[in-house]
Amino acid sequence: MRLETPWTLPRKDSAVIELKGKPVADALMSALSVRVQALADRGVTPQLAIVEVGDDSANRWYRQAAIRRLEAAHCEVAVISLSDKATQPELNETLDRLSADDQIHGILLLRPHPPHINQQQPADHTSALKDVDGMSDASLAGVFLGNPGVFAPCTADAVIRLLNHYGFEYRGSRASVLGRSAVVGRPVASLLLVRDATVTQAHSKTPSLKDACSQADLVVSAMGVLGALDQEVLPSGCWLVDVSCNSREDGSMAGDAVWDRLGDIAAATPVPGGVGAVTTAVLAEHLVSAAERQNAHF
């Protein structure tokens, strides 16, 4: 079944429709304002704790983007920066303390950590109620089991919010998810399955991406391989959500797809300006939801 592209999508001069992230983020933020005010009327201001170990450039960029988005939503942010020499117990103890702090409603643990820190263990010291980026084992298990009470990783959830906004029809569709990370690939596949899509999962080591995508109505790519997708791989009429953000030699950013060689696919997210623009809005929404749940007894 090939999906019809909704006529309401904004068209470019070329045949490919741009699935821009800004309108999606704006709609999410507009809906949040009422909820944040309702919490404020009860004396509650959603507060996020951002925890980082060392100074990673990508983390620094995301941290600043998250702070701007949350402050625009009238939420508060506390940044806890640990030295790159911080030990595993020090990081774990920090997360345990924040999990027990009633003034903190959400915890965002930035990764990657320095090599001497276990990449997954610290996330499991984050309370499930406050794991707004869905990175603990408990949160990920809930996503894979279809539990609506846990938070999915923000980027994976942003893919779904973008598709919802532009009217993608999940039921009966065929989706190819390219990537298998716990941050995007695997949770996106699970979120699509819950919505009754039939999902094929592939990755950068799959022998033929063309075969993996040949019947797809939707391709979600999170491989981080510059130039991996073009009209030779993508089937006619499909939608493409390109999650990757790769650096070109000139320093500019691009996804996995070659934009000027997309052929006659129906719609695609630009990079930058696509999923990334939605991710911090989803983080804000998760934080507000966490604050509401933690203050439901008021």
Side-chain angles (χ1 to χ4, degrees), residues 273-298:
V275 176
V278 185
T279 300
T280 52
V282 168
L283 173 65
E285 198 277 336
H286 284 185
L287 176 65
V288 172
S289 294
E292 289 170 340
R293 294 174 188 177
Q294 291 166 52
N295 291 277
H297 59 284
F298 278 33

Side-chain angles (χ1 to χ4, degrees), residues 142-156:
V143 172
F144 299 149
L145 293 172
N147 179 0
V150 300
F151 296 112
C154 290
T155 303

Side-chain angles (χ1 to χ4, degrees), residues 16 90 101 138 214 237 250 280:
V16 178
E90 287 173 338
D101 187 341
S214 63
D250 63 4
T280 52

Side-chain angles (χ1 to χ4, degrees), residues 51 62 95 107-113 118-144 150-157 180-187 279 283 286:
V51 181
Y62 184 62
L95 295 168
I107 300 171
L108 173 62
L109 175 61
L110 297 179
R111 296 195 291 187
H113 310 310
N118 182 289
Q119 295 299 303
Q120 181 59 27
Q121 186 191 105
D124 293 327
H125 283 260
T126 300
S127 163
L129 287 173
K130 302 183 180 186
D131 184 18
V132 292
D133 199 22
M135 294 310 299
S136 69
D137 286 351
S139 295
L140 290 171
V143 172
F144 299 149
V150 300
F151 296 112
C154 290
T155 303
D157 199 358
R180 52 184 170 177
S181 75
V183 178
V184 185
R186 296 185 191 190
T279 300
L283 173 65
H286 284 185

Side-chain angles (χ1 to χ4, degrees), residues 29-238:
M29 295 299 288
S30 178
L32 272 187
S33 62
V34 176
R35 296 167 60 187
V36 172
Q37 184 58 55
L39 284 167
D41 292 343
R42 294 155 58 189
V44 177
T45 300
Q47 183 168 181
L48 176 72
I50 299 178
V51 181
E52 59 185 352
V53 183
D55 185 22
D56 178 83
S57 59
N59 284 346
R60 192 186 320 129
W61 178 90
Y62 184 62
R63 179 189 69 212
Q64 293 306 317
I67 290 172
R68 288 194 298 270
R69 181 72 77 184
L70 290 164
E71 289 180 344
H74 303 289
C75 300
E76 295 181 354
V77 182
V79 177
I80 296 90
S81 297
L82 301 180
S83 161
D84 58 5
K85 304 298 183 184
T87 66
Q88 184 93 51
E90 287 173 338
L91 176 56
N92 294 346
E93 289 166 9
T94 298
L95 295 168
D96 288 337
R97 173 174 54 79
L98 293 169
S99 293
D101 187 341
D102 291 339
Q103 299 303 308
I104 298 295
H105 303 103
I107 300 171
L108 173 62
L109 175 61
L110 297 179
R111 296 195 291 187
H113 310 310
H116 68 281
I117 299 288
N118 182 289
Q119 295 299 303
Q120 181 59 27
Q121 186 191 105
D124 293 327
H125 283 260
T126 300
S127 163
L129 287 173
K130 302 183 180 186
D131 184 18
V132 292
D133 199 22
M135 294 310 299
S136 69
D137 286 351
S139 295
L140 290 171
V143 172
F144 299 149
L145 293 172
N147 179 0
V150 300
F151 296 112
C154 290
T155 303
D157 199 358
V159 171
I160 299 299
R161 304 302 182 98
L162 186 143
L163 290 169
N164 290 348
H165 180 90
Y166 286 110
F168 184 79
E169 295 287 342
Y170 299 100
R171 181 167 294 177
S173 70
R174 292 165 294 194
S176 292
V177 177
L178 310 181
R180 52 184 170 177
S181 75
V183 178
V184 185
R186 296 185 191 190
V188 162
S190 295
L191 293 171
L192 290 170
L193 284 169
V194 167
R195 288 160 175 78
D196 297 325
T198 297
V199 178
T200 297
Q201 188 136 33
H203 45 81
S204 61
K205 302 299 188 295
T206 297
S208 174
L209 292 177
K210 181 177 181 178
D211 289 346
C213 297
S214 63
Q215 299 298 312
D217 302 300
L218 167 68
V219 175
V220 179
S221 187
M223 295 185 295
V225 180
L226 182 65
L229 303 179
D230 58 16
Q231 59 195 354
E232 297 301 317
V233 176
L234 300 169
S236 172
C238 78

